[in-house]
Amino acid sequence: MTVSLEQLRRCHFAVDLGAARTRVYVKGAGLIVDQPSVAAVNTRSGALIAVGDFAEQMTGRTPGYIRVVRPISGGTVVDIEMAQRMLRQLLGDKTRRQLRRNLRLRAAACTPHDADPLAQRATIETLVGLGARRVELVDTLIAAAVGCGLPVERPEASMIMVCGAAATQVAVLSLGSIVTAERIPVGGEAVDHAIVQLLRHDHELMLPSQSVRPLQLALSGNGLTPQGPETTEIHGRDVATGLARSVRVDTATVREAIQTPLTAVLDGIGKVLRDCPPDLVADLADRGITMVGGSALLPGFDQMLREATGMPVHIADRPDICAAEGLGAMLEGRVEPLVLNPLAA
């Protein structure tokens, strides 16, 4: 199944449904939604209490009758009805009315590389429930490459790594298509889990869920690299007593815990390069890897890749919104016509 640029230009809005954040691009208006993919529901009445940032702030802080849910996991819609309700709330009444004025409303959406037919169908049904008469699916790798300005339409190699919350996708692109790609089930959530497990097992400390990312940034300005302060103070809850407690953690140990799940990412990069034609690999020696996605901002991640691969590694400007901006560029017609296959077979 493929989709042409002409079909994408007919779309009125585009959606990037990520495990961490949902982004909506409306043709002519730009990126109008960039919120966490979270919803809070009253289990007694079924009413939707909050979505986005406010719902995320409620995580772990709600009474028993309020449930905080994530209807999207790994780039796949796992709860279609809740995803539709969340999107309606994020868009707002005014935007929804404007979109529904188009009697033949068309939408575009990102899907992970090699997404199975059921995952694609779930994405389509989610947007059809918002009033779309037709939904075009675009491979996230192509959309992100376009969004960060890679020359994907040229007969030369471009390598992109989409660092998501639930998975990391790596691909080599040429002539507007994916030459070789790999999807690794390791993302920012795996890094968070590694830190939480380290603190629980070694220090008997439970870390609040919303404190994991600030902890990563507080480790040092160099993140995964060995320089920086030797210890850092962490506040959490004692596993045995339940009381608040602070401990000083060796940052070298935390860096080691973070690197363990990222080893699978390095293996995936190696597989992509081994499957890539030699002429394209030669192009990559100078151009290197471009990182996009929210987890690309993990401190020191790019430096670790440079040391492991020996290739240049660049983080895109605004890496978190590259896929949504790429979809927007396709909708607005700002893409060369040689990008013929936005959805990988």
Side-chain angles (χ1 to χ4, degrees), residues 68-231:
V68 177
V69 297
R70 294 181 177 271
I72 303 161
S73 176
T76 301
V77 179
V78 294
D79 187 337
I80 295 175
E81 181 183 356
M82 186 56 64
Q84 290 174 348
R85 295 176 67 185
M86 181 186 72
L87 278 171
R88 290 191 191 101
Q89 190 78 10
L90 290 174
L91 285 171
D93 294 336
K94 181 179 179 181
T95 302
R96 292 206 313 273
R97 285 196 298 268
Q98 290 175 344
L99 290 175
R100 285 184 175 275
R101 290 173 185 170
N102 299 291
L103 298 180
R104 297 185 59 82
L105 184 65
R106 291 176 176 240
C110 286
T111 56
H113 181 69
D114 283 344
D116 60 69
L118 288 178
Q120 295 181 12
R121 174 56 57 186
T123 301
I124 292 172
E125 289 186 9
T126 299
L127 298 185
V128 167
L130 294 178
R133 299 293 185 267
R134 183 181 177 90
V135 180
E136 310 291 357
L137 300 181
V138 181
D139 195 297
T140 300
L141 290 163
I142 291 288
V146 171
C148 67
L150 288 179
V152 294
E153 75 282 355
R154 298 179 185 173
E156 54 191 50
S158 298
M159 190 169 188
I160 188 165
M161 184 167 74
V162 180
C163 309
T168 300
Q169 303 173 69
V170 186
V172 174
L173 313 174
S174 181
L175 287 173
S177 295
I178 296 174
V179 178
T180 179
E182 189 74 14
R183 186 166 181 251
I184 307 113
V186 174
E189 292 175 352
V191 174
D192 296 347
H193 182 71
I195 294 176
V196 169
Q197 291 302 308
L198 170 71
L199 295 174
R200 186 180 181 91
H201 293 155
D202 292 3
H203 301 277
E204 296 186 344
L205 191 76
M206 293 185 66
L207 192 67
S209 58
Q210 296 185 23
S211 299
V212 178
R213 285 305 170 87
L215 170 61
Q216 295 174 8
L217 299 176
L219 289 177
S220 71
N222 297 301
L224 301 180
T225 56
Q227 295 80 19
E230 295 182 357
T231 62

Side-chain angles (χ1 to χ4, degrees), residues 212-276:
V212 178
R213 285 305 170 87
L215 170 61
Q216 295 174 8
L217 299 176
L219 289 177
S220 71
N222 297 301
L224 301 180
T225 56
Q227 295 80 19
E230 295 182 357
T231 62
T232 185
E233 188 174 13
I234 300 174
H235 306 281
R237 191 184 75 180
D238 189 278
V239 173
T241 66
L243 300 176
R245 183 163 64 91
S246 299
V247 298
R248 297 202 70 84
V249 178
D250 181 10
T251 54
T253 305
V254 178
R255 284 193 294 268
E256 184 178 351
I258 290 175
Q259 286 178 328
T260 300
L262 297 180
T263 302
V265 176
L266 297 177
D267 293 340
I269 293 174
K271 185 177 187 304
V272 168
L273 293 174
R274 287 193 299 271
D275 294 342
C276 189

